[in-house]
Amino acid sequence: MVCHVGLKVTENKMADKSAASADLSEEQIQELVQKSHLAKKKAYAPYSNFHVGAALRTEDGTIFTGCNVENAAYPVSCCAERTAIFKAVSEGYKAFRAIAIAGNVESEFLAPCGSCRQVMREFGTDWTVYLTKPDLSYRAMTVGELLPCSFGPDDLNKPKVKGQ
């Protein structure tokens, strides 16, 4: 099951930083991008042959990586982004600064699927997502830009109609 969508962008080698600001240095961004591409090499994707890697940076600078893991029963497969986030959460981290996502699509920046966007949203809308290409170029966006008009934890506490 392939759950990623391509995002057409006109930039080539240039990074588009206007959409998001994780306040990371270019060196820190490149480290995250490179680690996402290294994680991609560990993907288990025998059905789609669509290898994806992710590198997640927490508020304190710790980096967790993840890759997609497919299963013959497609719905139980797990995307790279969720693997990285679940690893971080299982180690006690819940505040994130940025995530880089790597795939093998040459002509477009790789964007996360809807399920991954929703999992990212669980942890806020103002952190940065670096969509990358194999040449290590990237486009920066916030989670909120990737998932506008989203549903999140704060929505569960909003007033509800009584008696229904």
Side-chain angles (χ1 to χ4, degrees):
M1 170 182 262
V2 177
C3 291
H4 288 83
V5 295
L7 186 62
K8 282 275 190 201
V9 181
T10 57
E11 298 91 19
N12 188 5
K13 282 284 203 183
M14 302 283 297
D16 176 6
K17 298 181 201 172
S18 61
S21 60
D23 294 324
L24 297 178
S25 69
E26 186 60 31
E27 185 178 295
Q28 290 172 315
I29 294 168
Q30 284 304 319
E31 176 188 25
L32 204 61
V33 169
Q34 288 172 358
K35 285 188 176 192
S36 71
H37 284 270
L38 289 173
K40 172 181 66 178
K41 294 178 180 178
K42 296 178 181 177
Y44 177 72
Y47 307 105
S48 71
N49 198 32
F50 196 84
H51 297 94
V52 180
L56 175 71
R57 185 179 196 91
T58 66
E59 283 292 337
D60 75 357
T62 304
I63 296 176
F64 289 90
T65 60
C67 62
N68 57 320
V69 180
E70 294 182 347
N71 190 286
Y74 296 149
V76 298
S77 298
C78 193
C79 297
E81 302 91 305
R82 287 183 282 145
T83 299
I85 292 169
F86 296 162
K87 283 172 66 176
V89 171
S90 74
E91 295 296 323
Y93 293 88
K94 295 179 188 76
F96 308 127
R97 289 185 69 187
I99 188 169
I101 305 164
N104 290 328
V105 177
E106 205 173 329
S107 61
E108 300 174 4
F109 292 99
L110 185 63
C113 72
S115 294
C116 289
R117 292 175 197 214
Q118 186 62 47
V119 169
M120 290 177 197
R121 167 59 180 96
E122 181 70 16
F123 301 98
T125 58
D126 293 327
W127 53 290
T128 305
V129 181
Y130 295 100
L131 313 176
T132 77
K133 290 183 184 178
D135 67 2
L136 304 183
S137 61
Y138 63 86
R139 177 175 184 203
M141 302 181 76
T142 64
V143 172
E145 289 169 327
L146 281 169
L147 190 63
C149 302
S150 64
F151 180 84
D154 48 317
D155 292 303
L156 296 173
N157 296 321
K158 292 181 178 173
K160 295 161 190 73
V161 176
K162 299 213 186 272
Q164 294 185 1

